[in-house]
Amino acid sequence: MNTKLLSLNEATRTVNSGSNKVTLLDKINLQVNEGEFISLMGPSGSGKSTLLNCIGMLDEFTGGGYTFLGEPVHSMKEKNRSKLYKEYIGFVFQAYHLIDELNVWENIETPLLYKNIKSSERKALVADMLDRFNIVGKKDLFPQQLSGGQQQLVGIARALIGKPKLILADEPTGNLNSTQSTEIMELFSQLNKEGVTIIQATHSEQNAVYGSRIINLLDGKIVEE
Amino acid sequence: MIKNYFKIAWRSLVKNKVYSFINLSGLTIGMTCFILIAFYIQFESSFDKHIKDSDRIYRIVQQQKGNDYKGTDYFALAPLPLTTAIKQDFPEVESITNLDIWDTLIVNDNVSFSERGLFTTMSFFDVFNTPILEGDGKEALRESNTILLTESLAKKIFGEAPSIGKTVIHNKELLTVSGIVADPPKNQHFTYSFITSLKKNSPYDNDLTDWVSNNYYGYLKLGEGQDYEVLEKKISSYEDITKPAYKANGFQFYPKFSLQPLEDIHLYSQMNMEIETNGDIKYIYFFALLAIIILVLASVNYMNLATSRSAHRTKEVGVFKTLGARKQNLVFQYLSESIILTLFSFVVAFLLVVLLLPEFNKLLGKNILFNFFANGWLLVGMLFIAVLVGCLSGLYPAVFLSKINPVAALKGVSFKNHNSKSLLRNTLVVGQFIAAITLITGSIIISQQLEFIQEKKLGFNKEHIMHVSYFNEEIYNKEGVIRDALLNHPNINKVSISNQLPINVTSQGPIDVWEDNIDKQQLYVYRTYVDYEFLDLFEMNIVEGRGFSKEIASDSTDAYMLNEAALKKLGWKTAVGKKFDRGTVIGVVEDFHLQTFNLSIEPLYIRMRRERWNKNNGQIILKVKNLNKIENTIAFIEKTIKSVAPLDIVEVEFMDDTYLKLYEEEERLSKAFNLFSLLALFIAGMGLFGLVSFQVFQRTKEIGVRKVLGSTVFDIVKLVSKEFLKLILVAFIVATPMAYVLMSKWLQDYIYRIEIEWWVFACAGFIAVSIALITVILQVFKAATANPINALKTE
């Protein structure tokens, strides 16, 4: 199980703040194989979220190379990138970011809509997911009616529904209490065992150890692995 | 997928109830107004177009240069010999007819009906093609003892029983019903409920050859492909006949005939002797402008609110994007949401129109019917506008939102560096307030002028006066009996039986005999015929000489009274004892308003009515002591008059009401103005609401920081309000001169009018500022009193 999922070659991200050029990520070199569980650590502002967003194609590197499943992301058109992204990547957020207007079922279903999957198939997939996460009873509730842990569960279910190869989680337990955190982390390691690659950004040493690999960032540079 | 869009759209609406309500109600009100006004305009411009070949029908009218009567020298009348001559001389004229219309009594079985009669010739049916439902049409007019009833009058008189062959009495003559015609539609420039022969008019036989007598309306239908302007030029040749004829009759002017297209009459014709009061293209333009302004205001507002709302939705966009939504998915989502909303508005507006049409008709004094098929194009157009507004207002947020970076969107930062957009928004708000302030100013000024009309001293007292119009010689013959009987009632103080009320004197003619008129000048003088009590009852002031007296026998035959305006025109310092027309002046009455305020006070003479030939109609005028239990007095008046003239229809009216009826148009305009200014204000207020809520949202953090730093709620309200007050100020500066110019122009129509005062503008400005402040304060207060910690926790 040593297939290369993605690799970063001197990947850099800069932004212009007024007349100053600020480097958020500085020449990052990183290889991620399928089935890995990576924890990104580092203080606030060290570039964890930026790295996740760039890997997740929500943001772009401004320099260097980014290869995903052998395809050069840095030189891709938006359309193809979007296709790649829809197919292989799932996101989990600290603030869950569920759609308030949609209930649990519909929230989980949404990514499938953008993949143009038929209605009958969607139903089956969502039902499976609800079953698996033991939230069948909550399928008609709206996000506001759920606890934080439950919301994050829905968030993860939603990230998983498209059967992604890679899950990117930005402080997934940041808004949760310790019991809920443990549950979520257990779930991640379960998923990882099932073959999903996971990269999480976290402040917590406790959560970081769930990963098979810990990478420390400081001022946009990898300082320790 | 589409279902999902709708689902999100719907739930988002329900969730933000206040916003949705405000936004939708604004758009709905705008669309409702627009549709209603469009119906009105459609109705007004549909006049006479239902008549077959209406584009080939013309009315013969004339201009008598120098004969100014009620402000114009155009007359809608044509002499009878002219129509005869045209028919003979010009083969391109297919048919030509004369007609006259007046209100009269139709009696059946001792029951009277006050009805409007059309008196005409057989060729009426050739020109107008009026549908005949039963019996004879054209043929019925061959004889003069037959009558055609409209469907509704037949029903009114005879119920469901067949009416053909039955008889009714008109003017003491027995007429046989020989046909039933369709009711003329409400959008015809003249209406009637029966048709009978024009020959019944007593001077008809004389008029047939008299080029100087103008008692009838003339209409002709041109053959296909003929140019009416060519015919108009040919008709001018008749001046060879009219010029000497008028001169022989002592007139110093003569008529110039012209043709007026039938379809133009209702909106473009304001001549003397119009059959009915016509509409006015001026009002059509005014209302069209208003409709467009309101629709634009509402649409712009909707867009403004929708786009400002989208600022709250960036997070949602971020989530959708991370879930794999592409740009077109998002554009489609927001567009469909916006279109659903506008379509919903349209449906509600449509229902409101159906519901409000009767009220709207009352407001405008019209009779517009809702006809889905006739108004179909309008509704389709409206639907198109709804979708367009939906697209436009959805497009900006759709495109804008779909473009933003998802990472930024999730953080909730965006909408910065959008100064160009806020300039546009500010411009829109300024525009709305310009409209609102102009309308408020207009409202106030129109109301002021109306009040002025009601309050201004007319030169006589119209308080506590009632009157009954009569159409019956009986009253004239038994005048004394009626007066004595009426005066028996303790509440009736004075009774006068005279020709007409002093508020709308219509009769006018040339006078060329008076003392010192050596060079035979001609003077046009209005005239009214009264009894001994008239001047006293109206408390008119006699400034020289005396009023009519029973003691002096010659007063009833050759005494004249003049008004001050007549003296001025005649160049007389004093008048008593001077020869005038066929008698002598005995007194001068102080000027009073004998017509509406659009017309100046013209020369007038007053004579006793005894010797007048017009016995068939007039006014019984009563002055009562007080208005308590006036119903009893009214019942008494009705009973008393009925006992003398059982066939008369007695309708007791208050002079105040009759007076106000002269200003019905103004009254309506005022009401419409008030209504629309209110709506415009409401819509402008909402536009501001949207803008403020957007601004406050943008400045949540700033407000939080300021509060942490110790600023008070008042400071924050002041901070935000200041910016909006600046916008209102700009609107005020633009709107004031605009309103001044527009309203001065409107006031110009009145010879007697108010001055526009500065406080009117101040007042309009104050109202606008108040509305703006309330809107701003409501929104800002919420943000300013919120816990600053929440505001700072936007991360």
Side-chain angles (χ1 to χ4, degrees):
Chain A
M1 215 169 75
N2 239 350
T3 335
K4 198 161 76 179
L5 182 67
L6 63 93
S7 69
L8 302 178
N9 181 19
E10 308 247 297
T12 302
R13 167 72 183 161
T14 56
V15 288
N16 294 320
S17 171
S19 54
N20 296 329
K21 200 166 163 188
V22 178
T23 305
L24 298 179
L25 293 173
D26 194 6
K27 292 181 186 153
I28 303 277
N29 289 306
L30 180 67
Q31 289 223 352
V32 179
N33 290 331
E34 281 192 35
E36 280 196 281
F37 188 160
I38 298 175
S39 297
L40 291 177
M41 291 201 68
S44 292
S46 59
K48 303 187 298 286
S49 294
T50 312
L51 184 57
L52 278 187
N53 288 336
C54 288
I55 290 174
M57 301 171 204
L58 296 179
D59 204 351
E60 282 173 69
F61 292 111
T62 44
Y66 174 24
T67 318
F68 189 89
L69 283 176
E71 310 230 26
V73 179
H74 55 268
S75 58
M76 239 179 226
K77 283 206 182 101
E78 213 255 53
K79 197 175 155 192
N80 295 328
R81 206 161 48 211
S82 165
K83 217 155 122 194
L84 201 66
Y85 162 83
K86 264 198 280 196
E87 189 69 31
Y88 298 112
I89 296 176
F91 251 102
V92 176
F93 303 96
Q94 175 178 3
Y96 331 125
H97 288 331
L98 300 179
I99 307 279
D100 292 341
E101 279 78 25
L102 298 179
N103 62 26
V104 168
W105 173 289
E106 290 156 350
N107 259 294
I108 298 175
E109 184 193 27
T110 308
L112 301 178
L113 295 172
Y114 296 121
K115 289 173 106 170
N116 296 324
I117 290 169
K118 269 191 290 208
S119 161
S120 54
E121 205 179 327
R122 287 202 308 262
K123 272 189 188 138
L125 284 169
V126 176
D128 275 356
M129 197 55 77
L130 289 168
D131 241 2
R132 183 171 162 194
F133 281 60
N134 252 328
I135 44 175
V136 178
K138 307 224 161 21
K139 70 177 167 53
D140 295 324
L141 297 182
F142 285 86
Q144 309 88 289
Q145 298 166 303
L146 300 174
S147 72
Q150 287 166 337
Q151 286 192 49
Q152 192 58 296
L153 222 51
V154 177
I156 296 169
R158 187 179 62 180
L160 282 177
I161 191 82
K163 297 205 175 75
K165 278 186 184 301
L166 174 64
I167 292 255
L168 297 165
D170 193 354
E171 301 266 9
T173 61
N175 286 4
L176 301 178
N177 63 34
S178 60
T179 328
Q180 291 170 329
S181 293
T182 317
E183 274 172 39
I184 296 295
M185 289 322 295
E186 291 294 339
L187 180 61
F188 273 137
S189 74
Q190 178 65 32
L191 291 172
N192 182 241
K193 276 180 199 135
E194 286 166 22
V196 183
T197 313
I198 296 172
I199 305 178
Q200 67 160 343
T202 183
H203 279 297
S204 150
E205 295 279 355
Q206 231 175 333
N207 290 345
V209 295
Y210 282 91
S212 51
R213 203 172 145 193
I214 296 175
I215 294 168
N216 276 302
L217 281 175
L218 184 65
D219 296 337
K221 288 188 185 118
I222 295 181
V223 290
E224 193 190 332
E225 206 187 317
Chain B
M1 187 76 136
I2 290 175
K3 211 178 101 199
N4 217 51
Y5 292 153
F6 288 178
K7 208 153 53 188
I8 294 180
W10 173 249
R11 287 186 191 154
S12 160
L13 270 184
V14 174
K15 201 172 137 198
N16 304 298
K17 284 191 192 72
V18 176
Y19 157 78
S20 311
F21 176 76
I22 288 185
N23 202 0
L24 280 181
S25 57
L27 188 63
T28 309
I29 289 171
M31 285 208 241
T32 310
C33 287
F34 186 85
I35 298 176
L36 281 175
I37 295 176
F39 275 16
Y40 159 73
I41 293 174
Q42 191 189 27
F43 176 77
E44 284 293 280
S45 49
S46 73
F47 266 68
D48 299 316
K49 289 189 179 138
H50 60 275
I51 295 168
K52 192 167 168 265
D53 301 323
S54 59
D55 55 333
R56 289 199 272 137
I57 303 176
Y58 300 88
R59 179 165 75 176
I60 308 164
V61 297
Q62 56 184 300
Q63 186 187 14
Q64 300 183 350
K65 263 202 180 129
N67 182 14
D68 269 322
Y69 173 75
K70 292 204 167 190
T72 165
D73 54 4
Y74 275 92
F75 295 80
L77 301 165
L80 279 185
L82 175 69
T83 47
T84 321
I86 290 175
K87 181 73 194 143
Q88 271 167 11
D89 299 346
F90 303 110
E92 62 263 45
V93 174
E94 216 173 85
S95 47
I96 189 162
T97 188
N98 297 102
L99 59 89
D100 198 3
I101 284 181
W102 68 84
D103 291 330
T104 172
L105 290 184
I106 290 286
V107 183
N108 175 56
D109 252 356
N110 284 333
V111 183
S112 301
F113 301 89
S114 169
E115 297 298 332
R116 174 155 281 213
L118 168 66
F119 301 83
T120 185
T121 60
M122 285 170 80
S123 51
F124 172 79
F125 288 92
D126 300 331
V127 178
F128 285 100
N129 226 297
T130 301
I132 294 133
L133 305 178
E134 231 183 290
D136 294 341
K138 192 175 169 181
E139 284 307 310
L141 295 178
R142 191 178 294 284
E143 305 301 327
S144 60
N145 58 354
T146 50
I147 185 169
L148 294 160
L149 303 181
T150 57
E151 207 182 353
S152 56
L153 182 60
K155 218 167 243 168
K156 199 158 134 194
I157 301 179
F158 300 107
E160 295 303 324
S163 40
I164 303 255
K166 297 236 170 88
T167 54
V168 294
I169 300 165
H170 169 251
N171 215 0
K172 293 177 185 156
E173 229 184 315
L174 207 59
L175 303 178
T176 309
V177 178
S178 63
I180 305 292
V181 294
D183 287 3
K186 303 289 181 197
N187 52 352
Q188 187 164 312
H189 81 279
F190 58 89
T191 58
Y192 48 86
S193 55
F194 68 86
I195 305 177
T196 186
S197 172
L198 184 62
K199 290 174 193 144
K200 269 196 223 38
N201 200 351
S202 51
Y204 181 80
D205 292 331
N206 283 332
D207 287 344
L208 269 174
T209 50
D210 186 356
W211 282 86
V212 181
S213 148
N214 289 303
N215 288 323
Y216 313 94
Y217 303 92
Y219 292 84
L220 61 83
K221 186 193 255 183
L222 268 182
E224 257 170 276
Q226 298 292 337
D227 185 352
Y228 80 98
E229 280 167 338
V230 173
L231 179 64
E232 209 169 43
K233 274 195 198 105
K234 291 184 194 164
I235 287 176
S236 65
S237 65
Y238 294 117
E239 277 166 33
D240 296 345
I241 306 171
T242 53
K243 232 175 179 168
Y246 269 68
K247 201 162 187 188
N249 275 276
F251 294 109
Q252 289 171 348
F253 52 80
Y254 62 96
K256 264 179 137 49
F257 300 110
S258 56
L259 297 176
Q260 183 182 34
L262 177 69
E263 292 178 359
D264 284 357
I265 293 177
H266 180 68
L267 286 182
Y268 296 93
S269 187
Q270 312 287 341
M271 298 186 183
N272 286 313
M273 311 297 174
E274 293 284 356
I275 304 179
E276 277 163 30
T277 314
N278 284 330
D280 193 336
I281 192 71
K282 198 168 74 185
Y283 287 119
I284 300 292
Y285 287 141
F286 166 71
F287 277 108
L289 189 70
L290 211 58
I292 291 168
I293 288 176
I294 286 188
L295 186 68
V296 169
L297 277 189
S299 307
V300 160
N301 221 9
Y302 175 82
M303 292 182 220
N304 220 348
L305 276 170
T307 49
S308 75
R309 188 72 210 161
S310 65
H312 298 254
R313 298 180 70 171
T314 48
K315 198 188 104 182
E316 186 184 304
V317 174
V319 178
F320 278 121
K321 279 203 160 180
T322 58
L323 295 180
R326 303 210 41 212
K327 214 187 262 176
Q328 53 265 47
N329 295 128
L330 289 170
V331 169
F332 198 76
Q333 158 131 26
Y334 289 108
L335 267 185
S336 56
E337 187 174 320
S338 164
I339 290 170
I340 293 170
L341 273 182
T342 49
L343 284 182
F344 180 74
S345 268
F346 171 72
V347 172
V348 177
F350 180 83
L351 294 176
L352 277 176
V353 165
V354 175
L355 220 70
L356 293 176
L357 200 56
E359 282 306 307
F360 184 67
N361 274 333
K362 241 186 257 167
L363 177 73
L364 293 172
K366 297 286 167 197
N367 213 326
I368 304 163
L369 296 174
F370 183 77
N371 178 336
F372 191 83
F373 298 100
N375 305 130
W377 62 268
L378 187 71
L379 293 174
V380 170
M382 210 46 233
L383 192 67
F384 174 75
I385 292 177
V387 173
L388 190 75
V389 169
C391 280
L392 286 177
S393 53
L395 205 62
Y396 166 73
V399 170
F400 176 73
L401 286 176
S402 65
K403 260 203 300 212
I404 55 176
N405 181 306
V407 178
L410 285 175
K411 279 189 190 154
V413 276
S414 66
F415 280 97
K416 272 178 189 158
N417 302 323
H418 275 84
N419 284 332
S420 62
K421 195 64 207 169
S422 81
L423 180 73
L424 178 64
R425 257 190 247 279
N426 289 347
T427 315
L428 293 176
V429 168
V430 169
Q432 286 178 334
F433 271 88
I434 291 175
I437 293 172
T438 312
L439 283 172
I440 300 171
T441 314
S443 263
I444 299 175
I445 291 173
I446 292 176
S447 313
Q448 274 186 309
Q449 173 70 14
L450 270 180
E451 201 177 321
F452 173 73
I453 286 169
Q454 285 169 48
E455 305 288 313
K456 186 172 187 286
K457 276 186 74 180
L458 294 170
F460 58 86
N461 188 352
K462 64 178 168 56
E463 301 303 312
H464 292 196
I465 288 177
M466 294 192 286
H467 66 103
V468 179
S469 312
Y470 68 84
F471 308 92
N472 197 318
E473 209 185 306
E474 223 102 32
I475 306 267
Y476 180 83
N477 293 336
K478 295 178 185 161
E479 215 179 280
V481 182
I482 292 176
R483 181 177 292 124
D484 292 344
L486 287 171
L487 283 170
N488 268 336
H489 194 276
N491 196 26
I492 297 174
N493 211 357
K494 283 167 192 158
V495 176
S496 161
I497 300 178
S498 297
N499 225 26
Q500 54 193 334
L501 294 173
I503 48 174
N504 194 15
V505 176
T506 51
S507 173
Q508 187 212 40
I511 302 281
D512 53 12
V513 179
W514 64 83
E515 226 165 278
D516 320 323
N517 189 19
I518 304 143
D519 49 355
K520 270 272 172 191
Q521 274 182 19
Q522 232 174 30
L523 180 67
Y524 273 79
V525 184
Y526 285 92
R527 57 219 36 199
T528 191
Y529 302 94
V530 303
D531 62 358
Y532 294 110
E533 285 77 17
F534 185 86
L535 292 169
D536 183 36
L537 185 142
F538 282 109
E539 297 167 29
M540 288 174 176
N541 286 331
I542 296 168
V543 291
E544 192 198 337
R546 57 175 181 87
F548 299 107
S549 162
K550 281 178 201 163
E551 271 78 58
I552 301 165
S554 63
D555 272 10
S556 65
T557 50
D558 50 11
Y560 281 78
M561 290 189 75
L562 300 176
N563 68 352
E564 293 169 308
L567 252 66
K568 211 177 206 175
K569 271 274 164 65
L570 291 165
W572 288 356
K573 288 264 179 308
T574 58
V576 174
K578 287 190 177 158
K579 294 267 168 259
F580 183 81
D581 200 22
R582 277 164 285 169
T584 314
V585 179
I586 59 160
V588 177
V589 65
E590 190 182 56
D591 273 345
F592 63 90
H593 283 275
L594 46 129
Q595 280 148 1
T596 60
F597 280 25
N598 309 52
L599 302 167
S600 55
I601 299 175
E602 297 287 329
L604 168 87
Y605 76 63
I606 305 173
R607 291 188 74 185
M608 293 293 296
R609 69 196 284 268
R610 263 287 155 204
E611 45 97 38
R612 293 299 302 168
W613 58 272
N614 190 0
K615 300 170 181 174
N616 279 331
N617 59 61
Q619 297 282 347
I620 304 171
I621 307 163
L622 310 109
K623 175 109 183 173
V624 295
K625 286 179 186 140
N626 60 61
L627 297 174
N628 304 333
K629 300 226 172 117
I630 196 70
E631 329 62 81
N632 297 343
T633 315
I634 291 175
F636 173 80
I637 296 169
E638 278 170 1
K639 210 179 78 195
T640 311
I641 298 175
K642 277 266 183 197
S643 72
V644 179
L647 289 182
D648 236 15
I649 292 176
V650 180
E651 204 186 324
V652 183
E653 290 171 281
F654 288 93
M655 184 146 168
D656 276 332
D657 296 341
T658 313
Y659 177 69
L660 279 183
K661 253 184 225 158
L662 295 174
Y663 298 97
E664 236 169 354
E665 276 301 306
E666 284 84 352
E667 196 80 44
R668 276 185 204 132
L669 185 71
S670 164
K671 277 188 196 148
F673 233 111
N674 287 340
L675 180 70
F676 290 125
S677 348
L678 209 70
L679 290 176
L681 249 189
F682 178 69
I683 291 173
M686 280 187 331
L688 199 64
F689 182 89
L691 193 68
V692 177
S693 84
F694 175 69
Q695 278 256 344
V696 168
F697 173 78
Q698 268 195 324
R699 297 172 78 166
T700 309
K701 207 166 186 171
E702 182 195 333
I703 291 171
V705 174
R706 281 179 191 274
K707 278 197 76 178
V708 170
L709 295 178
S711 113
T712 63
V713 173
F714 178 72
D715 290 330
I716 289 165
V717 170
K718 203 168 72 182
L719 178 84
V720 181
S721 310
K722 211 169 67 192
E723 282 182 33
F724 292 103
L725 287 182
K726 263 189 244 159
L727 297 182
I728 311 292
L729 186 72
V730 172
F732 180 73
I733 290 169
V734 178
T736 300
M738 211 163 81
Y740 182 81
V741 170
L742 284 175
M743 291 325 291
S744 302
K745 209 162 170 229
W746 180 76
L747 281 173
Q748 230 121 68
D749 277 354
Y750 298 87
I751 306 281
Y752 305 96
R753 56 179 180 249
I754 54 155
E755 292 292 316
I756 299 179
E757 287 165 287
W758 64 268
W759 64 262
V760 172
F761 300 103
C763 185
F766 178 75
I767 292 175
V769 167
S770 309
I771 297 275
L773 267 184
I774 291 169
T775 318
V776 171
I777 287 171
L778 278 180
Q779 287 260 328
V780 177
F781 196 72
K782 210 169 62 192
T785 50
N787 190 333
I789 296 175
N790 294 330
L792 295 174
K793 222 170 58 181
T794 48
E795 183 66 1

